Amino acid sequence: MKFLHLLWRNLMRKKVRTTLTIGSIFVAFLLYGTLLAVKTAFGAGVQLVGLDRLLTIHKVSLIQFLPESYMPRIEGIEGVDSVAHATWFGGVYQDPKNFFAQMAVTPERWLEVHPEIQLSDEQKQAWFRNRVGAIVGKVTAERFGWSLGDRVPIQGTIFRPPGGGAWEFVIEGIYEADKGFDGSQMFFHTKYLSETIEFADGQVGWFTFRVADPSRSAAIAEEVDALFANSPAETKTSTEKAFTQGFANQVGNLQAITTGILTVVFFTLLLVAGNTMAQTVRERTAELGVMKTLGFTDVQVMGLVLGESFLIALLGGGAGLALVSWAVNTGDIGGALFPTLYLPTQGVLLGVALLLFMGFAAGAIPAWQALRLSIVDALRRKG
Amino acid sequence: MFGWIEQIVTISWFNLKNLRQRVGSSIATVVGVAGVVLVFIGVLSIATGFRQTLAQTGDPESVIVMRSGSNGELSSVLGLDEARVLAQGPGILEGEAGKLASAELFVVVDVPKRSTGTPANVPLRGISASGFEVRKDFEMLEGRRFEAGKNEIIIGEGAAAEFEGLDVGNSLRWGENTWTVTGIFSTGGTAEDSEIWTDALVLQPAYRRGNSFQSVHLRLASAGAFQELKDTLTTDPRLDVMVERKTEWYASQGSALSGVISFLGILIGGLMGFGAVFGALNTMYTAVSSRAREIATLRALGFGASPVVVSVLLEAVVLALVGGVFGAAIAYVAFDGFRAATLNFQSFSQVTFAFAVTPPLVIGGLLYAALMGVLGGLFPAVRAARLPVATALREL
């Protein structure tokens, strides 16, 4: 502990330089956190979604409908808890730029399968009762300034009501979403859709259901697909996690892109910080010699140099990571673009590991030099 | 005036010759700026390539017609009668087999992506007989066209490269139908190179679409005929359609995604730039303080303060520009022409494209590098000029 003071005094000696070095490490970790959050947002919820929820889609493509009559058959399979279905509505509120997801669902079942949707009992009941009622995430409600009871017109792109014009929904509930669930979505009664649009009757987009024993997910998925094999609408069932990951992969090889960018960022800024550390030690050569003369051991001197490097990395990196998590957690910064912005714990831990590594890597060579430094050499060298 | 410039040249030349003594920290600055420019150009080249691909789709004479209010071909529906009425519109070019108006179906099928091995939404388009002629730059690269009425498909060159199993001669099973690949085509680097094509009349029963279509692609006799066609079709009481120039339509399709990518590129490049400027500042401050005595000597000899400022600034800018050139060169070699595919949210299907490192991007990157140099050199330069000559000479 007594050395901490010494470390601190050393850092404060050249305030400008220390600030700048901490600043560049701060930037590196700010970027790390931002990229991590963005990557997670693209693969929305990949980390958190449990294995206990499965998704059944049309084998040829997600855009193909499945018969609603599959629902009781899936439910009949041993180990399947409750089944819900959803249909992508793809409507537009005022302007196509105001994108948010709307889905036609069976309300009771949908909430049962998705405990992440936090909705008060009153609002639930109100929604169940109203055929044109809808619930919407808080993010979206705030974005468009909707409140309970509002009538909201939404233009259909895939489904157009007979006679033209817009669909009208009544906001019966505004829900809060647990972390990792896209809380910008709107859900409404599938009945409203099927009773208005003839060709949507008896057709649904996909099924989602929970299984009692997640370890049997793979077996149950196979069983579902076997049930509908060789029918006009064959299915493909996967865990929600695998599905979301697959969907994220559609955007691109995000893993490769973010890893690539971060490698360049870290390499660049590590070099910048490492160079400054090396310079600092070079300038202090004579002083380190004096310390060794006074009885500081080689290891202690090395520790001081390394400690200074760690301290800089911790201050800069810690501040960077903290700022990102603060911004993401309080944040509206994601807004409509990335409704599910958050930092996965795993990523934060990796960030801390990277931070320690950076502290070590930047200080390693100067520390080694300090360890090897002989008193005679150090004192002979002139500034 | 001449003396002033001469002083700058003398000091700057002197500084640059001495760079060797500060090689470590100078390299750190160069690499720092190179890294920033690399990432900056790299990320923006994705957005540029994507935008270029979409912007190249179609030409002034190509027109696309969909049901009004639809936000893409996927959500549009047009009946056979409507398609027939559309084809009679004014100004449509006459081809060998009648008017160049191709009624088309647009669906997506799951095909594994090579880079990740996971299924991706690949567009499967059913075209009419005139569909080839409607696209001016269409050509077969390999094999032959599909035969009308058969379960045969041809693959766009982009799709063939990005997705697995789309080689000539292969058979693919989607749903109840088996399709045979008979050829690879190109439309000249447009978004349609990401697609798989077949006969619309074969696709209709396979997807239970009766005799409906989703869009009609037209070729005009002249680009100027567009407005008349649009006015005629949108006011026809038998129709409820939107008529768009294909170029404009595709450009608008991609604007959201390329906007997001550009935003990220500028954000990442901007943040990283801060880090690099901090590094450059450190280097230049150290350079100035280690040369305090030398600068003071120059001042004592009669060199002015401003030549000292300019020379320090110049050194920083030169270092940054060297970094910028390196960064841009690496970005060009590594990314230009790099092929990738992404999901275009508006069409809910994959678009293959090539990253494009364009001259404006390179110039932007170099300007950015110069800016980092100026920012990194300015404060140290001012400090150098403010050094009190007497104290500096006494120092050390």
Side-chain angles (χ1 to χ4, degrees):
Chain A
M1 224 51 255
K2 62 182 170 184
F3 290 117
L4 202 59
H5 184 64
L6 193 57
L7 284 180
W8 184 250
R9 299 299 297 204
N10 269 337
L11 281 187
M12 286 298 107
R13 206 149 56 163
K14 294 220 163 177
K15 291 201 185 64
V16 175
R17 177 186 294 174
T18 307
T19 317
L20 291 174
T21 314
I22 290 181
S24 52
I25 294 179
F26 169 77
V27 166
F29 282 88
L30 198 66
L31 271 177
Y32 171 81
T34 314
L35 280 177
L36 200 67
V38 168
K39 190 179 100 181
T40 323
F42 266 115
V46 170
Q47 316 277 336
L48 283 178
V49 179
L51 283 172
D52 65 337
R53 202 151 57 206
L54 270 63
L55 208 69
T56 299
I57 63 170
H58 194 288
K59 191 176 177 184
V60 174
S61 161
L62 184 59
I63 65 157
Q64 303 263 84
F65 287 125
L66 288 171
E68 195 178 5
S69 59
Y70 281 7
M71 192 154 78
R73 296 176 66 189
I74 296 175
E75 217 156 26
I77 292 174
E78 171 103 38
V80 171
D81 261 2
S82 47
V83 186
H85 63 70
T87 307
W88 179 260
F89 183 67
V92 169
Y93 177 64
Q94 289 174 345
D95 188 298
K97 285 197 188 78
N98 293 337
F99 175 84
F100 69 105
Q102 312 98 25
M103 286 166 210
V105 301
T106 36
E108 295 85 353
R109 285 169 171 271
W110 188 255
L111 293 183
E112 206 176 311
V113 176
H114 297 91
E116 300 102 315
I117 301 176
Q118 306 288 349
L119 194 62
S120 76
D121 275 334
E122 289 160 57
Q123 295 187 8
K124 267 186 202 170
Q125 295 309 325
W127 181 37
F128 294 166
R129 276 195 304 270
N130 189 352
R131 196 183 66 108
V132 298
I135 59 167
V136 66
K138 208 174 131 205
V139 189
T140 305
E142 281 173 2
R143 180 173 167 208
F144 301 125
W146 296 343
S147 46
L148 289 178
D150 281 4
R151 296 189 84 85
V152 180
I154 292 184
Q155 294 287 343
T157 58
I158 308 172
F159 307 103
R160 293 202 311 171
W167 293 74
E168 259 198 12
F169 298 98
V170 177
I171 305 295
E172 291 290 2
I174 294 175
Y175 67 86
E176 301 236 14
D178 286 356
K179 223 160 114 177
F181 187 84
D182 177 358
S184 71
Q185 306 173 87
M186 178 173 127
F187 304 107
F188 63 93
H189 287 251
T190 188
K191 270 201 193 121
Y192 185 22
L193 181 67
S194 59
E195 285 170 9
T196 317
I197 302 287
E198 209 178 312
F199 75 86
D201 195 18
Q203 302 282 321
V204 302
W206 65 92
F207 296 98
T208 167
F209 55 94
R210 289 167 70 180
V211 292
D213 176 8
S215 66
R216 285 197 57 230
S217 294
I220 291 176
E222 267 177 43
E223 222 174 309
V224 173
D225 293 343
L227 202 56
F228 308 115
N230 297 318
S231 75
E234 290 187 301
T235 60
K236 185 168 65 189
T237 305
S238 57
T239 62
E240 202 166 89
K241 187 183 161 104
F243 177 80
T244 344
Q245 182 63 61
F247 199 78
N249 283 344
Q250 290 229 32
V251 176
N253 203 338
L254 294 172
Q255 194 70 40
I257 295 173
T258 38
T259 313
I261 295 179
L262 283 176
T263 312
V264 178
V265 170
F266 274 105
F267 176 74
T268 306
L269 297 178
L270 182 70
L271 195 89
V272 170
N275 171 57
T276 316
M277 284 307 297
Q279 212 159 33
T280 309
V281 173
R282 254 198 316 276
E283 284 172 7
R284 287 195 212 140
T285 307
E287 185 183 311
L288 294 179
V290 172
M291 287 175 78
K292 285 192 177 183
T293 317
L294 289 175
F296 282 86
T297 65
D298 288 349
V299 176
Q300 276 174 332
V301 171
M302 179 191 79
L304 274 176
V305 173
L306 210 51
E308 194 173 327
S309 162
F310 271 116
L311 197 58
I312 287 184
L314 280 175
L315 287 174
L321 284 179
L323 179 67
V324 177
S325 32
W326 174 79
V328 164
N329 285 334
T330 40
D332 245 355
I333 54 165
L337 206 53
F338 304 116
T340 48
L341 212 56
Y342 74 97
L343 276 184
T345 324
Q346 235 177 318
V348 176
L349 291 179
L350 181 65
V352 173
L354 277 172
L355 199 155
L356 293 175
F357 170 76
M358 198 166 209
F360 175 77
I365 296 172
W368 177 249
Q369 287 167 344
L371 175 75
R372 296 278 303 272
L373 191 68
S374 81
I375 296 178
V376 185
D377 280 345
L379 292 182
R380 187 171 39 203
R381 237 191 262 178
K382 264 305 247 174
Chain B
M1 188 63 200
F2 181 72
W4 188 73
I5 292 175
E6 200 182 356
Q7 285 190 357
I8 293 178
V9 172
T10 313
I11 305 182
S12 304
W13 181 240
F14 186 62
N15 286 349
L16 293 176
K17 271 201 302 197
N18 282 334
L19 264 183
R20 210 175 304 147
Q21 309 218 330
R22 307 183 295 278
V23 74
S25 61
S26 303
I27 287 181
T29 306
V30 170
V31 174
V33 174
V36 177
V37 172
L38 172 64
V39 168
F40 180 75
I41 294 184
V43 177
L44 289 183
S45 76
I46 303 178
T48 310
F50 183 68
R51 209 168 26 227
Q52 273 188 357
T53 302
L54 291 176
Q56 275 166 14
T57 308
D59 48 67
E61 287 87 35
S62 332
V63 175
I64 181 170
V65 183
M66 285 168 285
R67 181 180 72 176
S68 70
S70 48
N71 57 0
E73 292 185 77
L74 210 52
S75 58
S76 164
V77 183
L78 292 173
L80 179 61
D81 330 340
E82 287 174 291
R84 285 196 177 131
V85 174
L86 283 172
Q88 299 315 313
I92 302 174
L93 187 65
E94 197 82 37
E96 286 158 22
K99 294 269 181 96
L100 291 188
S102 165
E104 309 193 342
L105 268 183
F106 184 90
V107 297
V108 302
V109 289
D110 271 3
V111 182
K113 212 170 183 170
R114 274 188 214 275
S115 63
T116 55
T118 46
N121 297 350
V122 179
L124 172 57
R125 180 186 292 280
I127 64 171
S128 301
S130 58
F132 300 112
E133 255 185 289
V134 165
R135 285 141 179 116
K136 198 172 60 180
D137 294 322
F138 173 88
E139 54 170 336
M140 291 304 295
L141 300 177
E142 203 186 322
R144 57 169 176 84
R145 293 181 186 184
F146 58 80
E147 251 178 67
K150 284 195 175 170
N151 276 7
E152 292 182 339
I153 49 177
I154 54 175
I155 316 286
E157 54 171 341
E162 287 300 317
F163 307 106
E164 272 171 24
L166 301 179
D167 303 314
V168 175
N170 279 8
S171 286
L172 299 143
R173 195 179 159 78
W174 292 315
E176 295 161 284
N177 303 83
T178 306
W179 305 86
T180 310
V181 181
T182 61
I184 309 281
F185 70 89
S186 165
T187 52
T190 75
E192 291 176 326
D193 283 348
S194 326
E195 300 177 345
I196 301 173
W197 288 1
T198 186
D199 183 356
L201 298 177
V202 175
L203 201 55
Q204 278 174 339
Y207 278 73
R208 290 166 221 286
R209 293 297 172 91
N211 54 11
S212 74
F213 297 92
Q214 278 159 303
S215 58
V216 173
H217 292 242
L218 309 165
R219 169 159 278 301
L220 295 172
S222 76
F226 175 74
Q227 201 55 44
E228 192 197 346
L229 177 77
K230 181 171 179 167
D231 293 343
T232 312
L233 296 183
T234 47
T235 51
D236 192 318
R238 291 168 296 175
L239 299 171
D240 176 21
V241 294
M242 52 196 256
V243 182
E244 302 274 345
R245 279 190 202 274
K246 216 158 150 181
T247 43
E248 287 167 13
W249 169 253
Y250 272 92
S252 73
Q253 287 261 298
S255 61
L257 187 58
S258 66
V260 170
I261 302 173
S262 300
F263 170 75
L264 287 178
I266 290 168
L267 179 79
I268 296 169
L271 274 175
M272 246 186 116
F274 270 101
V277 167
F278 292 159
L281 275 171
N282 258 342
T283 306
M284 293 318 292
Y285 269 130
T286 319
V288 167
S289 69
S290 69
R291 277 188 327 205
R293 196 148 53 156
E294 177 187 314
I295 292 169
T297 312
L298 288 171
R299 298 290 309 281
L301 287 175
F303 282 87
S306 56
V308 172
V309 171
V310 175
S311 73
V312 173
L313 212 51
L314 211 61
E315 180 177 336
V317 172
V318 166
L319 287 178
L321 274 178
V322 170
V325 168
F326 270 114
I330 297 172
Y332 183 78
V333 172
F335 299 129
D336 193 53
F338 183 85
R339 292 208 68 91
T342 190
L343 185 71
N344 183 12
F345 285 94
Q346 267 103 336
S347 65
F348 201 59
S349 58
Q350 295 281 323
V351 176
T352 65
F353 63 100
F355 292 14
V357 179
T358 55
L361 266 190
V362 171
I363 293 170
L366 290 180
L367 283 178
Y368 188 35
L371 178 71
M372 285 187 272
V374 171
L375 288 179
L378 194 60
F379 298 104
V382 171
R383 177 191 280 189
R386 286 214 181 130
L387 277 178
V389 178
T391 357
L393 279 176
R394 209 181 310 132
E395 240 179 45
L396 299 174

